[in-house]
Amino acid sequence: MNNPKLLNSILRFTNLFRTRIPTFPNGRIVEKLGFLRRLSSNHNEDIELTDFMEYMEKLKNYEKSGVPKGAGTDSGEGFDMGRMNRLMQRLGNPQSNFKAVHIAGTKGKGSTANFLANILREEGYSVGCYTSPHVHSIRERISLGKEGDPVSAEKLSCLFHRVKNVIDRSIELENGMISHFEVLTAMSFTLFAEENVDIAVVEAGLGGSRDATNVICSSSLLAAVITTIGKEHLAALGGSLESIAMAKSGIIKHGRPVVLGGPFDQRIEQILRDKANSSSAPVILVSDPGIISTVKDVRLHDGRPCQLCDIHIQIEKDIPLFIELLDVRLHMLGKHQLQNAVTAACTSSAYEIKVRRNVSDESIRTGLENATLLGRSQFLSSEEAKAVGLAGAIVLVDGAHTGESAKCLIDTINMTHPNSPLALVVAMANDKDHSAFARQLLLGRLPEAVVLTEVSIAGDRSRITPASLLKGAWIQAAKELDVEIADVGAGENELLFMEQLSGSAADKERKTVLATSGSLQSSLKLANQILIEKTHCQSGLIVITGSLHIVSLILTLCQ
């Protein structure tokens, strides 16, 4: 055995996790602990939402169960928009009482919405923002006013009790088919109308044409935004990139500006342009040659990493735009976030022809610089890392869960910590492309360790991918990429572990240690220990990713 110290340490720690840490069934210690802390810490006011949350728990929630095949398509399998329209009519069509920017896309919707809402607030608008999913509290999905704070529990509870009879009646009339997302969307739009927001920034949930948010009509729409087109929810959106593009293009309305983020494949861009042309909708293409954005440097600002960027926007056709911002400090990291920032900047100018009010470059700059989003390229503070048992490590949490987002995550890692030893802790839902996710992470940077674990998805275990099944995807990806893996299992199979680590010392150093654990807490400790042993106590980077739900648990423990 060439490295008995590494072998003994890992076996000792994996056995310690199995025998000495009290666990709940299926290794759910962190989930249970997170639940208890949510009840007793910063979400005390959510106790006011007990009736509302219990009511919502009884509704069909596709975040828990997964989205049915064809749900987002214009077919017999698609979500019933008539049902949503009837619900809104019973509530008095509140969506007709405010102006809105509607954002769809495979990735980048939430970030773009966050950037845009911040810009509008800086300009003095009262903004309503509706996004999903949340990290800690459902209140995060709805923000109101000029400060952008989540809706208060009191306000959300009062609204619920006022509209409950209408929702009850609607559920009865619709044979119980109204979903969790439909009710929350209807309540959000009702709040925006009652609060008299100047502009609502609305993120679509799934697709566009059959999404519950698509009750926004052309007279209320200031601009439609489509960020990216990727393969996520492929079955739910028709089975091809073309069908996904068609579904997303459903938010385009007659005569209303369209901002296309991208970059898109040529055939996909043409589908989106054809829909815009048929709707007489002017187009801004963020990948236009006249738009140049660059990341110049990564540095600390106010104790947090930021990327220093230049943004130059000069478009002559469709909707003429000129914006030039130098040395913009973005705290949302990665080239993909710069693209989202540019998309938001273009959108903030795209709708000014409708509201007859210019948005200043200074508002755009400040809005972009002040934007943050929980769980997206978020580095924990030293205190937060200590709270989750990773004192001394650099910890990055990111909700990436697709091949495309994994590539963006690697870009961020290479940008911020190009030379740090890397360990990954991964948990994923069962409806994601695990192989594509693994391939991108192994292609971008060879990690010292990958520890696979399990967490509940939206508070339910039906969409969990068992760590043992997830491991198969990583082993297959490693074979395809000719990456050497030392599969140590869950620490039980000592013989297999010794065989995997056999060979010369040089061979061992090239291998990525692959381990599994049903407990998030033990996964974190194991990843940290492998880094320490393989790098001889050198400080390393631990990245926790695969789902916003694993990120939510980590951020809960930080509190």
Side-chain angles (χ1 to χ4, degrees):
M1 185 63 203
N2 288 290
N3 198 325
K5 180 182 177 183
L6 176 63
L7 169 61
N8 292 332
S9 295
I10 294 177
L11 288 176
R12 185 177 68 252
F13 271 78
T14 51
N15 286 326
L16 177 66
F17 299 151
R18 284 202 314 274
T19 59
R20 296 189 184 180
I21 293 179
T23 59
F24 293 94
N26 299 315
R28 296 177 64 188
I29 182 170
V30 175
E31 295 172 45
K32 292 291 186 181
L33 183 58
F35 172 75
L36 293 173
R37 289 190 178 183
R38 280 194 293 272
L39 286 181
S40 61
S41 62
N42 71 321
H43 299 299
N44 279 339
E45 69 173 85
D46 283 3
I47 294 174
E48 295 184 42
L49 292 177
T50 300
D51 291 345
F52 170 65
M53 296 303 296
E54 288 180 351
Y55 186 93
M56 296 295 282
E57 280 294 314
K58 297 174 184 177
L59 301 177
K60 184 69 173 178
N61 187 345
Y62 295 106
E63 289 178 27
K64 288 185 177 182
S65 62
V67 182
K69 182 179 179 180
T73 60
D74 288 325
S75 68
E77 298 175 307
F79 287 136
D80 183 1
M81 286 302 295
R83 181 176 68 223
M84 185 64 188
N85 279 305
R86 289 188 292 272
L87 172 59
M88 299 309 292
Q89 288 171 6
R90 295 179 191 117
L91 290 168
N93 283 320
Q95 75 278 13
S96 301
N97 295 328
F98 55 83
K99 299 297 183 181
V101 175
H102 200 185
I103 303 176
T106 303
K107 302 299 296 181
K109 301 187 297 292
S111 297
T112 302
N114 188 276
F115 279 128
L116 179 60
N118 258 26
I119 292 171
L120 299 177
R121 293 187 195 106
E122 287 298 326
E123 190 59 33
Y125 286 107
S126 173
V127 180
C129 190
Y130 179 55
T131 59
S132 59
H134 61 272
V135 173
H136 293 306
S137 166
I138 197 170
R139 296 185 297 106
E140 296 167 23
R141 302 189 183 207
I142 309 168
S143 62
L144 293 166
K146 295 185 177 181
E147 300 302 320
D149 295 325
V151 61
S152 70
E154 179 183 9
K155 188 168 290 186
L156 188 56
S157 179
C158 286
L159 173 66
F160 167 67
H161 288 292
R162 278 191 284 112
V163 301
K164 181 178 180 298
N165 288 339
V166 176
I167 296 173
D168 285 340
R169 179 62 175 157
S170 297
I171 291 173
E172 180 184 349
L173 291 172
E174 302 294 347
N175 298 315
M177 295 300 293
I178 293 180
S179 69
H180 183 286
F181 188 72
E182 287 168 325
V183 169
L184 192 60
T185 300
M187 290 182 61
S188 301
F189 289 177
T190 302
L191 270 175
F192 295 159
E194 291 183 352
E195 294 293 314
N196 294 313
V197 300
D198 297 317
I199 299 173
V201 179
V202 177
E203 176 189 352
L206 176 77
S209 60
R210 289 295 185 101
D211 188 72
T213 60
N214 204 30
V215 293
I216 299 169
C217 59
S218 59
S219 61
S220 298
L221 187 69
L222 295 173
V225 182
I226 300 174
T227 55
T228 58
I229 300 294
K231 292 182 178 180
E232 189 175 12
H233 299 302
L234 197 64
L237 295 174
S240 69
L241 283 177
E242 289 82 1
S243 65
I244 291 174
M246 286 299 298
K248 308 288 187 187
S249 72
I251 69 168
I252 296 173
K253 300 296 191 298
H254 182 77
R256 300 312 189 198
V258 180
V259 180
L260 301 179
F264 301 102
D265 181 273
Q266 186 175 357
R267 72 187 190 283
I268 299 303
E269 182 183 327
Q270 193 58 54
I271 289 172
L272 300 177
R273 282 190 174 275
D274 287 347
K275 179 59 184 287
N277 289 337
S278 67
S279 302
S280 302
V283 175
I284 294 175
L285 183 65
V286 178
S287 56
D288 186 283
I291 299 180
I292 301 171
S293 59
T294 56
V295 178
K296 300 192 300 182
D297 192 16
V298 177
R299 59 182 62 173
L300 287 178
H301 179 254
D302 293 335
R304 295 181 297 157
C306 71
Q307 53 188 17
L308 200 66
C309 307
D310 287 347
I311 297 173
H312 179 84
I313 300 170
Q314 186 169 5
I315 301 177
E316 306 295 339
K317 57 185 179 181
D318 289 321
I319 302 175
L321 292 179
F322 180 79
I323 302 169
E324 186 167 51
L325 302 171
L326 305 179
D327 295 333
V328 180
R329 294 188 296 263
L330 293 184
H331 289 97
M332 292 170 65
L333 304 174
K335 293 178 182 177
H336 62 297
Q337 293 294 11
L338 176 55
Q339 179 78 356
N340 293 332
V342 175
T343 302
C346 289
T347 306
S348 70
S349 298
Y351 66 76
E352 68 190 31
I353 60 174
K354 298 296 180 184
V355 297
R356 304 298 180 186
R357 179 173 176 177
N358 188 48
V359 176
S360 70
D361 284 3
E362 190 56 36
S363 291
I364 296 174
R365 172 190 292 278
T366 306
L368 297 179
E369 291 186 338
N370 289 343
T372 59
L373 200 57
L374 285 173
R376 279 75 161 186
S377 300
Q378 180 178 347
F379 284 92
L380 301 189
S381 68
S382 57
E383 293 79 9
E384 290 170 329
K386 183 178 180 181
V388 298
L390 297 175
I394 305 165
V395 183
L396 171 64
V397 295
D398 188 273
H401 53 268
T402 67
E404 294 89 344
S405 58
K407 185 176 186 302
C408 293
L409 174 58
I410 285 295
D411 288 342
T412 301
I413 292 169
N414 290 336
M415 179 191 304
T416 57
H417 293 85
N419 301 313
S420 295
L422 173 66
L424 304 173
V425 177
V426 180
M428 300 187 75
N430 60 14
D431 56 353
K432 306 304 177 187
D433 190 339
H434 308 134
S435 296
F437 189 78
R439 279 195 300 271
Q440 285 297 337
L441 290 177
L442 291 174
L443 264 174
R445 177 88 165 270
L446 190 60
E448 301 291 338
V450 178
V451 183
L452 307 172
T453 188
E454 302 165 6
V455 298
S456 294
I457 306 298
D460 189 84
R461 298 187 67 81
S462 62
R463 289 180 61 208
I464 286 176
T465 303
S468 57
L469 185 61
L470 200 56
K471 182 174 73 171
W474 281 81
I475 290 175
Q476 182 60 38
K479 287 180 179 178
E480 293 172 2
L481 299 173
D482 200 25
V483 172
E484 293 186 88
I485 290 288
D487 177 13
V488 303
E492 291 90 352
N493 196 330
E494 181 173 345
L495 178 61
L496 177 60
F497 179 48
M498 293 177 67
E499 290 174 351
Q500 291 292 339
L501 287 183
S502 63
S504 69
D507 287 341
K508 186 274 299 177
E509 290 299 327
R510 286 198 298 267
K511 288 185 177 180
T512 293
V513 175
L514 182 66
T516 61
S517 173
S519 162
L520 175 56
Q521 191 173 45
S522 64
S523 298
L524 299 177
K525 292 183 178 180
L526 182 56
N528 195 33
Q529 184 63 22
I530 294 173
L531 270 186
I532 291 172
E533 295 293 342
K534 291 190 73 173
T535 63
H536 309 293
C537 295
Q538 180 181 347
S539 177
L541 173 65
I542 298 177
V543 178
I544 303 162
T545 188
S547 167
L548 268 178
H549 301 284
I550 187 173
V551 169
S552 174
L553 288 175
I554 291 296
L555 296 181
T556 297
L557 287 177
C558 288
Q559 299 166 6

